[in-house]
Amino acid sequence: MELRLEHVTKRFLDLTAVSDVSTVLDNGVYGLLGVNGAGKTTLMRMLCTLIRPTAGRILWEGEDIFEMNMRYRKLLGYLPQDFGFYPDFCAQDYLMYIASIKGLRPAVAKARVEELLHRVGLYQVRQKKMKKFSGGMKRRVGIAQAVLNDPKLLILDEPTSGLDPKERIRFRNLIGELSQDRIVLLSTHIVSDVANVAKGIFLMKDGKICHEGSMEKILREAPVKVWCCRVSGKEADACLNRYQVANFKTDDQGCELRILSEEKPTADAIEETPTLEDVFLYYFGEKAGNEDAAL
């Protein structure tokens, strides 16, 4: 199976939200990394046929997805960033309702819903109203509704936003489990969400894919060196003003810094192997922690 993007562009009046994106995806998990406002949600909404590109084409197995219409949507599972649900529905009733909308026969839907409730760890609370669920439990229901129709393409927009570390780990493991025999595209600004599960990673900035490849390739081609050094408090202030600092740790002996720089920042600085977080900081800088709403 293959999802191909050819020069995909989306403009809103004077704003170009997605600019000339071309790539090919096959089986496996892909991470779309970028700060909020980079164009990730706009790109995903086009992949879900919710909006049309201004220019370019999106092809599934060589056929335009907008011409395929319902044939394509039957292959698609989608978890939007803002996952809507009915608070007075229990998880089981909600999933049965979504299954009916997706056209699953009642007997098939019942078996599929029961299977997925077990798979996402919610079977024991299947009769509990969703308004009483934690954020992580609601996201797990969201994943279940997205895969009800056993989609060949699963699109997840900021799926771990607002989750605690334990739920984030559970979610990543679930994604890895669901990734067999399908394409999974996961959009996030949280590096750890994709570092260990993604077959391929796309770094998106200002509507463009600025770097792509496996994590090994991206780290091998890291455009900046990474240094670890220990300095005094006064020297630390100077380093913060001069360099991109990926990590700052203080103790009784001074400050330990992780610095991104082409030049050696101090005489005793030791070069370190870059991480995906370092590369992310290099491309996105101060914006890397921005929590504002995305395009």
Side-chain angles (χ1 to χ4, degrees):
M1 80 189 67
E2 178 186 274
L3 179 68
R4 180 180 295 270
L5 287 74
E6 296 180 347
H7 306 290
V8 174
T9 297
K10 182 62 182 180
R11 301 185 190 92
F12 298 99
L13 299 178
D14 295 331
L15 173 67
T16 300
V18 175
S19 178
D20 197 30
V21 171
S22 295
T23 193
V24 179
L25 289 73
D26 56 17
N27 282 17
V29 179
Y30 295 84
L32 181 60
L33 272 175
V35 295
N36 289 326
K40 306 187 304 296
T41 293
T42 300
L43 179 59
M44 289 192 148
R45 286 172 64 82
M46 286 190 284
L47 292 174
C48 293
T49 69
L50 297 174
I51 55 176
R52 284 182 173 267
T54 307
R57 297 192 304 166
I58 304 171
L59 307 173
W60 177 265
E61 300 283 29
E63 191 172 356
D64 189 289
I65 65 171
F66 291 93
E67 293 178 4
M68 291 178 69
N69 200 358
M70 287 306 299
R71 286 189 294 118
Y72 174 73
R73 290 176 187 167
K74 286 180 179 179
L75 303 170
L76 178 68
Y78 178 44
L79 176 60
Q81 184 173 355
D82 297 316
F83 165 53
F85 63 93
Y86 297 97
D88 288 319
F89 271 34
C90 66
Q92 186 173 41
D93 288 348
Y94 174 77
L95 291 174
M96 286 297 294
Y97 169 67
I98 297 298
S100 69
I101 292 175
K102 293 191 175 188
L104 274 69
R105 289 182 290 110
V108 174
K110 185 177 180 181
R112 181 68 172 158
V113 166
E114 185 169 320
E115 173 198 345
L116 288 171
L117 284 168
H118 279 291
R119 206 164 183 183
V120 299
L122 293 175
Y123 187 77
Q124 298 301 321
V125 292
R126 64 192 183 281
Q127 297 296 339
K128 187 175 181 179
K129 289 186 178 181
M130 289 179 62
K131 65 183 177 183
K132 297 181 180 179
F133 279 7
S134 68
M137 293 166 76
K138 290 171 186 172
R139 298 306 276 180
R140 279 186 267 158
V141 175
I143 274 286
Q145 67 81 26
V147 298
L148 269 171
N149 57 328
D150 194 22
K152 295 300 181 184
L153 174 61
L154 180 58
I155 296 180
L156 309 170
D157 192 2
E158 297 284 357
T160 65
S161 180
L163 300 190
D164 63 36
K166 182 179 178 181
E167 284 288 1
R168 185 168 284 128
I169 291 168
R170 178 196 283 268
F171 201 92
R172 285 202 305 267
N173 291 340
L174 180 59
I175 296 307
E177 185 182 338
L178 292 171
S179 65
Q180 297 181 7
D181 301 320
R182 75 182 89 231
I183 298 171
V184 180
L185 180 60
L186 188 159
S187 157
T188 185
H189 62 280
I190 303 170
V191 174
S192 60
D193 282 354
V194 298
N196 297 317
V197 298
K199 169 183 177 179
I201 294 170
F202 303 95
L203 296 175
M204 192 169 191
K205 183 176 183 180
D206 298 329
K208 298 180 180 180
I209 301 297
C210 56
H211 203 12
E212 66 177 279
S214 67
M215 188 167 75
E216 293 76 13
K217 177 178 182 289
I218 286 176
L219 297 184
R220 187 172 62 249
E221 298 174 355
V224 68
K225 294 179 180 178
V226 179
W227 308 88
C228 187
C229 61
R230 182 172 287 280
V231 297
S232 68
K234 187 175 181 180
E235 290 171 318
D237 289 338
C239 287
L240 285 169
N241 289 328
R242 184 172 183 180
Y243 303 109
Q244 281 186 312
V245 178
N247 195 51
F248 188 120
K249 184 169 67 175
T250 60
D251 55 32
D252 294 338
Q253 298 175 338
C255 305
E256 185 178 293
L257 305 182
R258 185 177 180 87
I259 292 174
L260 279 58
S261 171
E262 281 301 321
E263 63 186 43
K264 194 173 184 177
T266 65
D268 62 347
I270 299 172
E271 188 171 356
E272 299 276 339
T273 302
T275 66
L276 187 58
E277 191 173 65
D278 294 326
V279 176
F280 188 76
L281 177 63
Y282 171 80
Y283 278 109
F284 303 109
E286 294 286 327
K287 296 180 179 180
N290 191 335
E291 293 288 341
D292 296 335
L295 284 174

